[in-house]
Amino acid sequence: MTLEAEEEEEKGKDINLHLNNNGYHPERDKPMIHPCVDPPVCDSCQKLELSFFDPGCPGCHDILVNPDTTVPEIFAVLRQWTPQTQQNLELLINEILKRSAHINDRDGLTDMTLLQYASKSGAAGIGDSEVASRVVTMLISKGADVNIRCRWTNMTALHYAAYFDVVPVIKVLLKTTKALDIDSTCSEFDHGSSLHIAASNLAYEAVKVLLQNGANPMMKDNMGRGPLECIPDPTNLDSDPEMAKLVVKLKKTLQESCQPVIKVPPPNYDLIQSKVTLQALGITLGDKVVVGGVKTGTLKYCGPTEFAGGLWAGIELDEPGGKNDGSVGGISYFQCAHSQGIFAPVSKIARPGSVPAPRSPSATMSPNKTQQKAAAVDVSNVKARVDTGLKCRTSSIADLAEIDLGDRVIVAGQRKGTVRFCGEARFAPGIWYGIELDRPVGKNDGSVNTDRYFHCKPKHGVFAPLSRIQKLGERRFSSNESLDAISWGAVSEKHDRRSNSSVPFSTQNRAKTPIKRPKSGLSLARVPGSSAPFKLEVGMSVFCNSELGNVRYIGPAEFGDGVWVGVELRTAKGKNDGCVQDKRYFSCKPDHGLLVRPSKITVRGINGSKLVSDYYHSREGEA
């Protein structure tokens, strides 16, 4: 071997060493487009009249590793769609990088980058998907841009991997981008997404992994087609039985993903009120009813809903003419045929042959009157003790109604005012209290929807059920206790409030119940009507940054001293997925997580610092 050859060999070893140690350094700061040339072929392959470059051939291999072989020539070899070249992908790309090419250089003929070539090279029957995945990982680690598009096809690396059904590569690419580009479109495929592309090419495994990572099966391309409509017609597949089976599997998978997720209805925490109302009307679930005095049907549901406050009746109509099948907003309250389900306020239903009783005071009431008599209600069907179906002891409305007109009260634990009205109202069924608030933090002036119930200044009036108000003095608030705004109509808040007390409470019960202090002397907040200390716990519903969420973590954090609270918001208004600075504290959807100080959250109007600091600091001291 000559001295020159030895030097070239040593130089090649040095370059390989740099590549293997992730020490790749291109000569240029910017990528370039390499000119289009023909692929080289060794003499023995030419004699055999072979038209492609075979890295397994000793002569071709010698040409490939020869430093005189240029980057455009190796790109020309990469273009060859043969198992001999695609299964030697790693060797070819390493030879290009050894020649100090930029990681994002492009082929002059196809305008494809090394990453795009690698993404499609794992196609079944042509290349090796695991090798392709390994090369893609290596290229990304060296700075390959996953978002580059081919100028001729407008496809990204993800689009190529989806088209050729290279699942391991799809997983690597989605992990790199956190699946943020999963629904990016491609003009070559009528601006369809990766899911459209995979479906059009019968890439079944690619479709499954894309759906698992959040691809939108309802997304439409410029032709108005969803991925399901992009599946080829099996009659055009040359009667191939295997292809026909694949089409059936693919259609089934996409059809299932397009079906809306049916959620269970919210827990009926107003069960007692529902039963009282129905008994007052002489109706039970399963009875025939008249809706609005016009339509007839069967009562299937009575209780709260997610789409509006108050009690609602769900009716299966005898004839089509409804608006749903018992589901609203993806939540199924009961089941019936399409267009035979309807929801109406309980005040709008009645037994056949009767007319619903008026539910509101007259709108022509004299402005000098501060109290309006409730409309007459037929109580002939109400028993002395209402059968609620609950095992725990309950008090009747008369027992609980210890609040009279003129009493000073606190609404939802935070707003002080004076009771000005008590009775039924048009806007919702049940007994409502009208309160004139001390400060302008209300919603009206004593009137709702042109019906006047009492008089007060604008924004000083508010209406609330008995469960939302307390007599002033029944609970003492400290002067520094935070009373941040909170939505007391949230179902989750009802759940938390009721889970802390198994039976309703009255002022007499509270007076007789001794308050036990924790042995450690901690000063913890307490829930009204409960003697148990009230502290922040994982799973609780809280308000954070004016958004409703759930506590997922409480404890220390590496990025700051003291106690931190991890909150999963119900909307994408957070900053992370429960992971901060590569440290995972909990798991949730991207942009749904927040880690905040306890003082930044409120629970039922109580600042989180009151529920965390004393308790957890004491626990740290004991440890």
Side-chain angles (χ1 to χ4, degrees):
M1 182 181 292
T2 64
L3 183 60
E4 269 188 354
E6 289 179 358
E7 289 177 352
E8 288 295 333
E9 185 178 356
E10 289 299 323
K11 182 179 179 182
K13 288 180 180 178
D14 290 341
I15 294 175
N16 269 321
L17 182 62
H18 285 307
L19 284 171
N20 293 334
N21 291 331
N22 206 20
Y24 161 71
H25 297 289
E27 290 182 350
R28 289 171 282 103
D29 293 334
K30 295 183 179 180
M32 66 171 287
I33 300 176
H34 291 276
C36 176
V37 299
D38 292 327
V41 181
C42 70
D43 293 337
S44 58
C45 288
Q46 286 181 345
K47 290 177 181 179
L48 295 174
E49 297 183 352
L50 296 179
S51 59
F52 61 88
F53 185 95
D54 183 4
C57 166
C60 290
H61 185 271
D62 289 342
I63 293 175
L64 180 63
V65 298
N66 188 330
D68 292 334
T69 303
T70 64
V71 170
E73 288 177 317
I74 304 177
F75 262 119
V77 175
L78 270 179
R79 288 198 297 267
Q80 296 180 345
W81 195 239
T82 63
Q84 289 86 344
T85 54
Q86 298 306 309
Q87 290 175 8
N88 284 280
L89 171 81
E90 199 166 12
L91 172 63
L92 295 169
I93 288 182
N94 273 334
E95 286 299 322
I96 289 178
L97 296 180
K98 280 167 57 177
R99 288 157 177 77
S100 298
H102 194 281
I103 200 73
N104 291 319
D105 278 357
R106 299 174 185 246
D107 178 9
L109 182 63
T110 64
D111 198 55
M112 291 173 61
T113 65
L114 295 176
L115 184 63
Q116 291 166 348
Y117 273 120
S119 296
K120 75 170 190 173
S121 68
I126 295 291
D128 186 320
S129 61
E130 294 302 327
V131 171
S133 172
R134 186 167 66 245
V135 173
V136 165
T137 302
M138 179 269 293
L139 290 170
I140 292 174
S141 70
K142 297 180 186 300
D145 188 346
V146 298
N147 297 310
I148 288 179
R149 292 177 179 266
C150 171
R151 293 186 181 91
W152 311 132
T153 64
N154 195 237
M155 296 171 73
T156 64
L158 179 62
H159 293 146
Y160 280 111
Y163 183 87
F164 288 98
D165 205 11
V166 191
V167 170
V169 171
I170 293 175
K171 291 180 178 178
V172 171
L173 293 170
L174 291 179
K175 182 179 179 181
T176 301
T177 63
K178 297 182 179 179
L180 296 177
D181 62 338
I182 197 166
D183 288 327
S184 63
T185 61
C186 177
S187 59
E188 184 69 13
F189 289 85
D190 300 310
H191 287 280
S193 66
S194 300
L195 198 57
H196 288 82
I197 295 172
S200 68
N201 207 35
L202 297 181
Y204 176 67
E205 296 298 329
V207 166
K208 286 203 305 182
V209 76
L210 287 169
L211 288 172
Q212 290 168 0
N213 283 274
N216 183 6
M218 307 296 290
M219 186 175 177
K220 303 294 184 181
D221 61 14
N222 279 3
M223 304 291 290
R225 301 171 302 179
L228 183 61
E229 288 78 39
C230 291
I231 299 175
D233 187 345
T235 58
N236 299 328
L237 299 176
D238 301 327
S239 301
D240 187 338
E242 293 300 321
M243 286 294 184
K245 289 180 181 178
L246 188 60
V247 167
V248 172
K249 284 172 58 180
L250 197 53
K251 283 187 175 181
K252 182 180 179 182
T253 299
L254 284 170
Q255 284 170 347
E256 290 176 350
S257 67
C258 291
Q259 293 176 356
V261 178
I262 301 298
K263 306 175 185 176
V264 297
N268 193 347
Y269 296 119
D270 291 331
L271 179 63
I272 297 174
Q273 187 179 356
S274 302
K275 290 202 170 188
V276 169
T277 305
L278 289 181
Q279 282 198 354
L281 297 173
I283 300 172
T284 60
L285 292 178
D287 285 356
K288 285 289 185 180
V289 296
V290 178
V291 186
V294 179
K295 300 179 180 180
T296 61
T298 304
L299 181 65
K300 293 291 188 179
Y301 176 82
C302 180
T305 64
E306 287 288 315
F307 56 80
L311 294 180
W312 288 78
I315 301 99
E316 180 182 3
L317 299 177
D318 294 337
E319 297 179 357
K323 296 183 178 181
N324 51 63
D325 60 354
S327 300
V328 178
I331 299 179
S332 177
Y333 299 90
F334 65 94
Q335 293 182 344
C336 66
H338 288 286
S339 300
Q340 284 192 234
I342 192 172
F343 286 86
V346 178
S347 59
K348 298 294 183 181
I349 66 171
R351 290 174 297 173
S354 64
V355 179
R359 312 290 292 181
S360 69
S362 171
T364 60
M365 183 181 73
S366 171
N368 295 324
K369 294 183 180 180
T370 59
Q371 181 179 1
Q372 172 66 35
K373 293 183 179 180
V377 178
D378 180 12
V379 295
S380 60
N381 294 289
V382 181
K383 301 176 183 178
R385 291 181 179 271
V386 177
D387 179 15
T388 65
L390 300 179
K391 292 183 179 180
C392 63
R393 181 177 64 82
T394 60
S395 302
S396 66
I397 292 178
D399 294 333
L400 290 175
E402 299 173 354
I403 299 177
D404 299 319
L405 294 178
D407 282 353
R408 294 283 292 162
V409 296
I410 295 180
V411 185
Q414 53 185 316
R415 292 173 288 180
K416 297 179 182 179
T418 305
V419 177
R420 299 300 187 195
F421 169 83
C422 176
E424 293 190 351
R426 183 191 294 269
F427 54 81
I431 303 299
W432 288 84
Y433 286 80
I435 296 98
E436 180 181 2
L437 300 175
D438 295 346
R439 296 185 295 115
V441 290
K443 296 184 178 181
N444 51 62
D445 61 352
S447 64
V448 179
N449 297 332
T450 71
D451 293 323
R452 180 162 296 282
Y453 301 90
F454 64 96
H455 283 273
C456 67
K457 296 178 182 179
K459 293 187 178 181
H460 280 69
V462 70
F463 288 85
L466 180 62
S467 60
R468 296 289 184 268
I469 63 178
Q470 285 180 295
K471 278 188 179 180
L472 197 61
E474 288 186 351
R475 177 191 172 192
R476 296 183 180 275
F477 294 89
S478 62
S479 59
N480 60 350
E481 180 172 338
S482 173
L483 298 175
D484 295 338
I486 187 167
S487 174
W488 285 83
V491 173
S492 59
E493 292 297 329
K494 293 181 181 180
H495 175 74
D496 288 343
R497 177 168 54 81
R498 292 175 183 266
S499 65
N500 281 297
S501 180
S502 60
V503 297
F505 53 89
S506 66
T507 53
Q508 295 174 350
N509 290 336
R510 283 193 294 271
K512 295 178 181 179
T513 304
I515 299 177
K516 297 180 180 179
R517 301 294 179 185
K519 295 181 179 179
S520 60
L522 305 180
S523 176
L524 298 179
R526 296 177 183 276
V527 180
S530 172
S531 62
F534 178 44
K535 59 181 180 292
L536 191 69
E537 294 179 350
V538 173
M540 275 188 172
S541 295
V542 299
F543 262 79
C544 180
N545 289 357
S546 300
E547 294 291 329
L548 194 61
N550 294 94
V551 177
R552 298 301 183 206
Y553 172 81
I554 306 173
E558 291 186 358
F559 53 81
D561 297 332
V563 178
W564 293 79
V565 180
V567 181
E568 179 182 1
L569 300 179
R570 298 192 181 179
T571 56
K573 294 186 179 181
K575 295 183 179 180
N576 52 62
D577 62 353
C579 182
V580 179
Q581 296 178 3
D582 298 326
K583 170 70 174 178
R584 181 161 296 283
Y585 298 91
F586 63 97
S587 296
C588 66
K589 296 178 182 178
D591 298 326
H592 282 66
L594 279 176
L595 268 93
V596 297
R597 291 291 191 186
S599 59
K600 298 297 183 181
I601 65 173
T602 56
V603 184
R604 291 177 246 171
I606 303 174
N607 189 274
S609 61
K610 297 291 180 183
L611 308 178
V612 172
S613 57
D614 291 343
Y615 177 72
Y616 287 97
H617 289 168
S618 294
R619 291 187 64 181
E620 290 171 4
E622 292 171 4

